[in-house]
Amino acid sequence: MCGIMGYVGGREASSILLDGLRRLEYRGYDSAGIGTIDSKHKLNVVKDVGKVEQLAQKTELGGLRGIAGIAHTRWATHGGVTSENAHPHLSCKQEVAIVHNGIIENYLELRQELEGRGHRFISETDSEVIAHLIEEVYERKKDLLSTLIDVVQRLKGAYAFAAILVDAPNVMVGARQDAPLVVGLGKSENFLASDALAFIGNTDRVVFLDNRELVLLTEKNVKIYDFAGNLIQKPATQIAWELGSVSRREFEHYTLKEIHEQKDAVLQALRQDPRSVDYFVDAVQGAGKVYLTGCGTSFHAALLAKLLFTSYAKIPVEVLLSSEFEQYEGMLDEKSLLIAVSQSGETADVLSAVKAAKKMGARVLSIVNAMGSTLVRESACTLLNNCGPEIGVAATKSFTAQLMIFNMLALRLGHRDDELSELWSTGSLVEKALGLEDQVREMTERIHVANDFYFVGRSIHHPLALEGALKLKELSYIHAEGMAAGELKHGSLALISEGVPVVVLNPEDATYADTLSNASEVKARGGRIIGVSNKPSKVYDEYIEIPAAPPVLYPVLEAVPLQMMAYYAAISRQQNPDYPRNLAKSVTVK
Ligand code: AGP
């Protein structure tokens, strides 16, 4: 969703900010803008709807001078996709510029109040009130810190913002409340962003701000305060994500690169601190009741974990959709354990589920890819996916990394230590599955014209059926449904007619024979069966052969051709798989 980037230092800010915006593109956005303060103490802003590259082409950008600046990619919530609504927003006297992520819930009330005192608003956004408020309070106080303290007392909602003021041209300020904000520490320059990826090419030393914290940055100094104005000392963290892993390398899209990275990612996910794994195992064993939560693909990983925990360790688990968590008010208690699953660690629905669970007294653990994210900080213990930044909007390597962590936990909980070592064979098995690429591309080029696809599987293959359908929908915009294979005959079979593609997930395990019968029922009604299995059958019209493997690994191996199918369907339909329409990588609004 929206992205913030800010810079203060000795270099020309606009090109650094532009580069930062390019790195934030993956989050999903519909407009972008940059604002700087020049040597004549004048604020200059260039912004528009469309892509960062379009912004980069604007001639006005060349005239944007200054060593302090802020920039933003906007994903519209309040107000349409227009250049007026794009950030940065200026105060009436053009003395303050702000960029903002999140939602100011009381903006209508604040706007009315400010208009009553003569402020003129240009945009329809909730964000603009911040610029006007800062201007008004600063005029009175002439002190940045006390201005910020006053302003944040007035704002309700979840937000992170950065601001620059003509009166303090060498300073950038920011505040965080329930939306991420990270400081990047450079040499005689400092950065502020909603995501460390924005500045990672310049520094890998970061300070993660916590909720209710303010920051004042100059080229030499970074000072962090709580909302009451107390100075806080916070340690810097060295982040391991290297610049190289943010590049597309030889791949045409990030999505394809990330699909290929899975052969390493599945092993990286197993490289956990043993103390953290022990912590998880003890917490699950000691809990009165275990709950899992997540959204989208992470929810599918949680569904699979439920089946693994139940069948390998006989531990019952409930999976609760984070976006539906409000339904469960009063259901968790002090004996409950909630494991939250999230790639970004910033999904608003997940964070609000965690908040609600904690309020009920539950202990919260998490499985997260983005280190330093809010979810990590809200959890008693986290197992990191360790798969590096995932830029493509579609979750690919983070999903299989999540599955590997759950495989490991389920085997540990079930005391099946002999099978744990088999998990290390996943890297070479995934590599074999990646060898299916040409076949999957060729098949997808033939069948992508279908209007509807169905994905079916039983037991541990059911969450993969859901995931296969989600991937196809979000990348190619083809309608797709995933379901338990045995449910077909309870309704959806009515939709099957000549040539309708049905992807049948059917490796050789306890579910094999029943799933094959379901596939035959579809075939008898004209459906086109795409079998994903290690065992061929004449029922399959198309056969995608995944390597034979220990059963616990089949979901990981199935994921690879399903992701490729979605990727090549997007390519065949001339869609950009990295940035599907209407979607954002990190969904930071509820
Ligand atoms: C997956 O391909 C989607 N982009 C989406 O469903 C995603 O999994 C969901 O928004 C949850 O995100 P998270 O894992 O970062 O919490």
Side-chain angles (χ1 to χ4, degrees), residues 295-298 341-345 347 350 393-395 402 470-471 474 584-585 587:
C295 297
T297 295
S298 296
V341 191
S342 173
Q343 187 286 129
S344 60
T347 303
V350 178
V393 164
Q402 290 164 348
L470 176 67
K471 282 291 90 94
E474 72 173 332
K585 182 68 180 164
V587 185

Side-chain angles (χ1 to χ4, degrees), residues 173-331:
V173 299
R176 175 200 158 125
Q177 171 63 52
D178 282 331
L181 206 55
V182 193
V183 174
L185 303 169
K187 283 198 183 109
S188 299
E189 57 184 5
N190 288 304
F191 305 82
L192 189 61
S194 50
D195 182 334
L197 274 181
F199 55 67
I200 202 167
N202 299 286
T203 180
D204 58 359
R205 285 185 64 232
V206 306
V207 179
F208 293 101
L209 294 192
D210 282 303
N211 277 341
R212 304 181 66 75
E213 285 183 355
L214 307 167
V215 63
L216 272 68
L217 306 98
T218 62
E219 64 174 70
K220 292 263 194 286
N221 261 307
V222 173
K223 289 208 162 128
I224 299 171
Y225 302 87
D226 63 19
F227 274 13
N230 302 305
L231 187 66
I232 303 172
Q233 299 299 339
K234 292 178 78 102
T237 310
Q238 184 108 17
I239 48 173
W241 291 356
E242 282 147 15
L243 182 60
S245 57
V246 185
S247 97
R248 275 195 282 111
R249 302 209 319 264
E250 71 275 23
F251 294 96
E252 201 174 328
H253 294 101
Y254 284 110
T255 307
L256 189 60
K257 173 190 166 236
E258 287 156 7
I259 291 172
H260 279 266
E261 282 174 347
Q262 291 178 110
K263 62 179 188 304
D264 300 318
V266 289
L267 301 184
Q268 278 302 109
L270 296 176
R271 297 196 173 101
Q272 297 292 338
D273 181 341
R275 288 166 303 181
S276 302
V277 179
D278 289 346
Y279 190 101
F280 264 68
V281 169
D282 291 347
V284 172
Q285 282 167 340
K289 179 88 204 202
V290 180
Y291 298 91
L292 291 167
T293 194
C295 297
T297 295
S298 296
F299 175 70
H300 296 155
L303 286 178
L304 181 59
K306 171 190 166 92
L307 295 162
L308 294 172
F309 284 20
T310 315
S311 66
Y312 285 87
K314 307 288 171 249
I315 294 176
V317 172
E318 282 233 37
V319 186
L320 310 175
L321 260 177
S322 303
S323 53
E324 291 285 315
F325 212 85
E326 277 156 24
Q327 311 292 320
Y328 309 112
E329 177 66 46
M331 199 169 104

